[in-house]
Amino acid sequence: MTSTRLAERTKPARAPRRGLGLALAVLALAGACVLSLGVGAKAIPASDVIAAILDPDNGAEAPIVWSLRIPRTLMGLTAGAALGACGALIQALTRNPLADPGILGVNAGAAFAITMAIAFLGLSSPWGYVWFAIAGAFVATLAVYAIGSIGRAAATPVRMTLAGVAMSAVLAGVTQIVSLTNPRLFHSSLSWTVGSLGGRDLGIIAALAPLVGIGLVLAVLVTKPLNAWALGDDLGRSLGGNPNRVRVITITAITVLAAAATALAGPIGFVGLIVPHVVRWFTGPDQRWIVALSVVVAPVLLLVADSLGRILLPNGELRVSIVTAFLGAPLMMGLVMRRKASSL
């Protein structure tokens, strides 16, 4: 019975549909990259974008493409991949289809650490506070895991979810208090706290991309065990899995991915919640495909939302987190109104 249920999650009959979905996602990602490179205060045709990339020293558009558009697009690719994989892992770990990367307190821990670094250490550069974001995310995750493990019972998904929600509320409250009582901190951290793909150079992206790569490798390692994990601890253990090891590796991957994404772009909601849901409609409950397609589809959503924000406010910028909220809220309401959420 158990092996039948596991085979149902990974049955090869869905492979053509999954492969087609992956191919379409890659094409959509290529289109989103072209859109991101061409859209802005000055629209640049795709042919001129390609010419500027091939010859950075010639053409009036080359400085714009290389100094603004390429870092912004790479930011969307990196942060989007991290948020997509992170959301898929959190929903699988907590067995909660409505979970998102903030549920374990990781984003709140990163934001809290950055706020403290700016307020009390005077840091103002992403190079300075990015490491505080990672440290804050790790500490918050460990605290949530420790709180969820209090007592004789092991840290169950429900206990960890409740601990994460409580931790997020406390850290967010303290962060707001410190920000509102320090006008300098409030203004200096405003652009980061809103969530944006702009204002970052290639150096900071190159520094954090390896962390995202490590997180994605860990995610790949646990996708197959997570299929057994979804059947429950006892059934997963009967199939030869080690729930504690799967839990630790998954939490580590979630922490690394969420911390890197938050340090790069600030808090951006709905991407890690919506994308795994949409992907699951095509892939079914197999975590290997869910994580793989989420890594591709999440940057599409992030880049399209960022481009849409620049189109709506051509002389300024409607931050990507605001656009994703407008796009994600109707989808979220649709999910809530569905009779049955996509199976995990």
Side-chain angles (χ1 to χ4, degrees):
M1 180 66 179
T2 300
S3 59
T4 303
R5 292 174 62 187
L6 181 61
E8 177 67 21
R9 303 177 66 84
T10 60
K11 61 183 181 182
R14 289 177 173 169
R17 182 179 178 181
R18 291 163 175 166
L20 177 61
L22 181 59
L24 293 176
V26 171
L27 289 176
L29 181 60
C33 289
V34 173
L35 181 66
S36 178
L37 290 170
V39 168
K42 180 182 180 181
I44 302 176
S47 59
D48 292 346
V49 169
I50 295 174
I53 293 174
L54 297 177
D55 190 359
D57 297 326
N58 290 324
E61 288 80 12
I64 300 174
V65 171
W66 279 97
S67 62
L68 298 177
R69 304 290 173 80
I70 288 180
R72 197 177 192 115
T73 303
L74 291 177
M75 173 74 78
L77 290 172
T78 308
L83 289 173
C86 189
L89 291 177
I90 286 180
Q91 291 180 11
L93 178 70
T94 61
R95 298 170 193 150
N96 182 355
L98 299 180
D100 75 353
I103 197 168
L104 294 181
V106 183
N107 289 348
F112 173 81
I114 290 176
T115 301
M116 296 302 110
I118 295 174
F120 299 108
L121 300 179
L123 300 181
S124 59
S125 166
W127 277 107
Y129 60 66
V130 65
W131 309 112
F132 286 88
I134 296 172
F138 269 111
V139 172
T141 303
L142 291 176
V144 168
Y145 190 78
I147 294 172
S149 303
I150 293 177
R152 295 182 178 180
T156 64
V158 173
R159 289 162 63 95
M160 290 185 60
T161 299
L162 294 175
V165 170
M167 180 66 70
S168 296
V170 171
L171 292 176
V174 175
T175 300
Q176 288 296 322
I177 291 173
V178 174
S179 297
L180 293 175
T181 55
N182 188 332
R184 181 187 64 83
L185 169 65
F186 179 78
H187 291 291
S188 62
S189 62
L190 181 61
S191 61
W192 178 83
T193 54
V194 174
S196 172
L197 299 184
R200 300 288 191 271
D201 57 30
L202 291 174
I204 191 68
I205 300 172
L208 290 175
L211 281 178
V212 175
I214 292 172
L216 293 178
V217 170
L218 293 176
V220 171
L221 292 176
V222 295
T223 50
K224 187 175 180 180
L226 281 174
N227 281 329
W229 163 273
L231 303 176
D233 283 13
D234 294 336
L235 293 177
R237 193 177 289 110
S238 68
L239 292 172
N242 185 328
N244 289 330
R245 183 170 57 191
V246 173
R247 188 182 291 122
V248 169
I249 296 176
T250 305
I251 290 175
T252 303
I254 290 170
T255 303
V256 171
L257 292 169
T262 304
L264 279 169
I268 297 177
F270 287 105
V271 176
L273 171 63
I274 296 300
V275 169
H277 262 290
V278 174
V279 165
R280 204 174 291 116
W281 292 340
F282 294 93
T283 65
D286 191 335
Q287 297 300 330
R288 297 172 298 180
W289 283 93
I290 292 173
V291 171
L293 261 76
S294 295
V295 169
V296 180
V297 175
V300 176
L301 174 59
L302 207 55
L303 290 174
V304 170
D306 182 57
S307 301
L308 188 59
R310 283 180 278 165
I311 292 173
L312 294 175
L313 286 181
N315 296 323
E317 175 186 337
L318 188 60
R319 301 303 173 91
V320 65
S321 62
I322 299 174
V323 180
T324 57
F326 276 110
L327 295 176
L331 290 172
M332 180 67 184
M333 287 187 283
L335 290 173
V336 173
M337 293 174 66
R338 290 185 69 194
R339 283 189 172 184
K340 180 179 179 182
S342 301
S343 174
L344 288 173

